[in-house]
Amino acid sequence: MTDILQRLRELRPATGGALVRIADFLLAEPAEAARLTITDLADRTGTSPGTVTRFCHTAGLSGFAALKVALAEQVGRSGSSRWSTDIGGEIDPADDLDQVLKVIVAANTQALLSTADQLDLAAIDEVARAVTAARAIHLFGVGTSAITADELRIRLQRIGFACWLWPEVHGALVSVTLADERDLVIGVSHSGQIAETIDVLRAAAARGARTVAITNDRVSTLAAEADLVLTTAQTGAAPADALADRHAQLLVLDVLYTRVAQLNHPGTLTALESTAAAIDPRRLPKPKRRRPNP
């Protein structure tokens, strides 16, 4: 089950006015909020008990009692581990490395768990089957999304799939203009609003190629252009959260790659054995340890 604070982070951009004030208070003071009555929470947020109840329903909860239970459970989980800290917490220049490590581990852990919780496994399976059926797979992304896309290219090529990464838009547009319904084009963009990635998927769709978006936002422009959409969970705005976004993308690709390997199991084994045979001679033996001088 998705934790309540993650659900509130995802809900917040779509709310306004009084509902945002309630969400902000709950995110800032979850332990305190779990101890309040509905009237107290309304007073603390400048709203009314009726607005608090409406907020609970908007968050997918049956009412205020369910909200308090969810908050209490979340606070209990957060307090049970040395690594738990506020995922939205900034890393201060004066923080020691222990605090830096706590924030980064918490952000990455939350991003992975939240992504796993909301990942559409039926969509993963459909994309994996599209990969195995494609004549060629073209991947495109900008910036760090290109790095993510290249990770998938490396893995798919290793198990025998014709796969290309186009890290700049001109090469990508030329490539997908020559594609057709036998090909698969995958665009990676965290925001789903990168013009170049959107243009590449549009051009591919115009040629009849099947298209896939890997994005954080299911209602983004990129997602609307794609035949199939795989999403990562939304994180916060802190620097550690931004670092966690890519790990969430890689989790999606890990699951996708593994499913492709399952669907093509005999071919995967053959390809891994062949590529290992080509690479293994390039591995140098470990150096012998030098004996200490007497």
Side-chain angles (χ1 to χ4, degrees), residues 12-283:
R12 189 184 182 284
T15 61
L19 299 187
V20 168
R21 294 201 299 274
I22 296 172
D24 287 346
F25 180 80
L26 297 178
L27 289 169
E29 301 289 345
E32 175 69 14
R35 294 190 291 266
L36 298 177
T37 66
I38 189 170
T39 302
D40 291 336
L41 179 58
D43 290 341
R44 294 285 291 272
T45 57
T47 61
S48 67
T51 302
V52 173
T53 300
R54 180 160 60 91
F55 176 86
C56 295
H57 294 161
T58 302
L61 300 169
S62 59
F64 183 68
L67 174 65
K68 290 192 65 172
V69 170
L71 288 171
E73 290 177 348
Q74 179 66 36
V75 171
R77 289 196 298 269
S78 297
S80 65
S81 171
R82 169 182 181 270
W83 299 105
S84 295
T85 188
D86 178 13
I87 191 174
E90 295 281 354
I91 298 175
D92 189 270
D95 287 343
D96 60 23
L97 281 177
D98 183 66
Q99 175 63 14
V100 170
L101 184 60
K102 287 179 182 179
V103 172
I104 291 175
V105 169
N108 278 281
T109 301
Q110 189 61 66
L112 294 174
L113 291 175
S114 297
T115 295
D117 187 64
Q118 59 84 58
L119 191 58
D120 187 342
L121 296 182
I124 285 279
D125 186 68
E126 193 169 358
V127 173
R129 292 179 187 279
V131 167
T132 61
R135 175 184 65 170
I137 302 141
H138 302 276
L139 297 116
F140 181 77
V142 172
T144 56
S145 291
I147 298 173
T148 301
D150 199 34
E151 178 74 15
L152 182 58
R153 175 195 65 81
I154 292 170
R155 295 188 186 193
L156 292 178
Q157 282 187 339
R158 180 76 189 269
I159 58 174
F161 289 91
C163 195
W164 288 269
L165 170 74
W166 304 102
E168 56 87 23
V169 70
H170 289 181
L173 289 173
V174 168
S175 175
V176 300
T177 298
L178 300 174
D180 59 29
E181 67 278 358
R182 296 171 293 176
D183 301 315
L184 182 69
V185 179
I186 302 175
V188 182
S189 169
H190 176 71
S191 69
Q193 294 301 127
I194 300 300
E196 292 89 342
T197 312
I198 295 165
D199 288 344
V200 169
L201 253 65
R202 281 177 177 162
R207 295 291 301 173
R210 202 167 193 191
T211 56
V212 178
I214 299 176
T215 180
N216 175 251
D217 189 352
R218 184 172 292 277
V219 297
S220 64
T221 304
L222 182 68
E225 295 291 336
D227 297 317
L228 299 168
V229 181
L230 303 179
T231 57
T232 57
Q234 293 185 11
T235 56
D241 300 328
L243 294 171
D245 291 335
R246 183 164 178 255
H247 293 112
Q249 289 179 333
L250 291 173
L251 173 63
V252 174
L253 298 189
D254 281 344
V255 179
L256 174 60
Y257 165 79
T258 303
R259 185 56 176 155
V260 171
Q262 286 180 314
L263 294 172
N264 189 49
H265 187 251
T268 295
L269 290 180
T270 300
L272 288 175
E273 290 171 358
S274 297
T275 52
I279 294 171
D280 285 346
R282 310 297 299 172
R283 301 181 191 275

